[in-house]
């Protein structure tokens, strides 16, 4: 059974706001790469298709059990509607912000615990006994986990990533006979269709930096007046190189 939850409904342990009768649904998982899902639904007379909106959450069977996916892009045509989705754990890209986290001499489980401490909604599991040290400043959890940085978790501790709703497992090997092949590689998303919307680049909270890396005092961020329009805080660090503190100003600077 496939269920959908409105963006403001976070009670995923209960039935969703509507049951969907999808014409197709599939999950694409790239080991230590991008995960995505796609669902297509007909324009039905009962209006079930109308629940497929950006930020809504779909619960559907996957190769590793029932999984939650958040809708990121919707494409509508005369014949039906297609939703592009990401695992619910990808929400950590927005609301698990690592201002200054420094796992020092920690094993995999201990490091994940520190890295996910900014948001108790998420948990991490790891059987990696190797100890290592890394510094994470001004980045989201997924970037720290497997971003293109030298100190990413995978670069320092290694392992294989498996997303399981609000839990991420990073073991020496993820193991398990899931009936599918988890391949290494890159995910190439398909081109859009006739009408589409996409909210993946929306930012509602910024952590600004001036020239030379100076940060704001206090909580260090500025919220958009529209932040309440979204079910998740969407964070990003933005550097304003032309804004200089007095101590960094040159003779000709304003």
């Amino acid at each position: 059974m496939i269920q959908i939850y409105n963006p403001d409904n976070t009670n995923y342990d209960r039935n969703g706001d509507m049951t969907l009768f999808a014409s197709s649904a599939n999950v694409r998982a790239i080991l230590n790469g991008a995960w995505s899902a796609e669902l297509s639904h007909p324009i039905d007379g009962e209006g079930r298709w109308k629940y497929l909106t950006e930020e809504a959450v779909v619960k559907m069977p996957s190769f590793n059990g029932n999984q939650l996916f958040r809708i990121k892009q919707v494409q509508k045509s005369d014949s039906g509607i297609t939703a592009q989705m990401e695992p619910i754990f990808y929400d950590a890209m927005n609301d698990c912000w690592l201002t200054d986290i420094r796992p020092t001499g920690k094993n995999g489980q201990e490091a994940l615990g520190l890295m996910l401490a900014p948001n108790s909604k998420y948990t991490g599991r790891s059987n990696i006994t190797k100890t290592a040290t890394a510094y994470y400043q001004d980045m989201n959890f997924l970037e720290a986990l497997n971003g293109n940085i030298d100190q990413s978790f995978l670069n320092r501790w290694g392992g294989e990533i498996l997303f399981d709703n609000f839990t991420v497992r990073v073991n020496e090997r993820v193991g398990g006979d899931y009936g599918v092949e988890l391949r290494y590689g890159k995910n190439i998303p398909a081109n859009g269709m006739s009408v589409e919307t996409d909210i993946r680049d929306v930012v509602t909270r910024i952590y600004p930096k001036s020239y030379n890396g100076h940060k704001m005092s206090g909580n260090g961020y500025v919220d958009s007046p529209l932040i309440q329009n979204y079910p998740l805080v969407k964070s990003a660090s933005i550097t304003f190189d032309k804004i200089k503190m007095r101590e960094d100003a040159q003779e000709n600077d304003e």
Side-chain angles (χ1 to χ4, degrees):
M1 183 170 65
I2 300 178
Q3 301 180 65
I4 189 165
Y5 299 77
N6 288 330
D8 58 352
N9 183 0
T10 59
N11 193 353
Y12 305 124
D13 292 330
R14 306 192 62 169
N15 290 335
D17 295 286
M18 179 57 69
T19 300
L20 300 178
F21 298 133
S23 53
S24 68
N26 60 78
V27 178
R28 294 182 292 274
I30 308 299
L31 192 61
N32 292 352
W35 289 39
S36 63
E38 181 179 281
L39 183 146
S40 296
H41 199 284
I43 305 296
D44 60 303
E46 294 88 354
R48 297 173 189 269
W49 66 273
K50 296 179 181 178
Y51 285 81
L52 289 161
T53 60
E54 297 84 4
E55 301 280 41
V57 171
V58 172
K59 179 192 287 185
M60 69 181 197
S62 180
F63 63 88
N64 56 335
N66 282 333
Q67 295 291 315
L68 299 168
F69 296 91
R70 190 174 295 279
I71 296 176
K72 292 296 180 179
Q73 185 181 56
V74 172
Q75 304 157 332
K76 183 177 180 294
S77 67
D78 291 339
S79 60
I81 188 166
T82 299
Q84 306 292 338
M85 304 178 291
E86 295 176 347
I88 194 74
F89 197 95
Y90 275 31
D91 285 356
M93 190 181 305
N94 295 309
D95 62 2
C96 190
W97 188 257
L98 282 61
T99 303
D100 192 353
I101 302 292
R102 305 187 181 203
T104 304
K106 303 298 185 182
N107 62 31
Q109 180 64 60
E110 293 168 334
L112 286 179
L114 290 171
M115 295 164 68
L116 289 169
N119 194 331
S120 61
K121 178 170 66 175
Y122 306 103
T123 58
R125 299 285 182 266
S126 177
N127 65 2
I128 297 173
T129 58
K130 169 187 175 181
T131 58
T133 296
Y135 298 159
Y136 304 112
Q137 294 179 297
D138 300 323
M139 66 180 70
N140 67 67
F141 172 79
L142 289 184
E143 183 180 4
L145 177 68
N146 192 19
N148 188 24
I149 57 174
D150 174 66
Q151 299 201 41
S152 72
F153 184 97
L154 286 195
N155 282 338
R156 291 300 171 97
W157 283 270
E160 296 179 350
I161 300 171
L162 183 73
F163 296 110
D164 184 8
N165 291 320
F166 291 100
T167 298
V168 61
R169 306 181 189 278
V170 192
N171 291 335
E172 296 284 357
R173 294 188 62 83
V174 293
D177 182 7
Y178 301 109
V180 297
E181 180 186 8
L182 291 178
R183 297 181 296 106
Y184 286 95
K186 294 183 178 179
N187 182 46
I188 309 289
N191 291 329
M193 294 171 63
S194 53
V195 179
E196 65 180 54
T197 57
D198 191 335
I199 58 161
R200 278 175 282 207
D201 292 330
V202 172
V203 175
T204 60
R205 172 174 291 170
I206 66 169
Y207 288 80
K209 293 181 182 180
S210 68
Y211 175 86
N212 213 15
H214 294 287
K215 304 176 186 178
M216 289 181 59
S217 58
N219 55 29
Y221 59 78
V222 177
D223 284 345
S224 163
L226 302 179
I227 194 170
Q228 298 300 325
N229 292 358
Y230 300 87
L232 295 170
V233 174
K234 300 174 181 294
S235 304
S237 177
I238 299 180
T239 300
F240 300 88
D241 286 322
K242 295 183 178 180
I243 305 299
K244 295 184 178 181
M245 303 294 287
R246 187 184 303 277
E247 63 201 71
D248 296 320
Q250 304 298 315
E251 182 178 352
N252 296 326
D253 289 335
E254 294 184 7

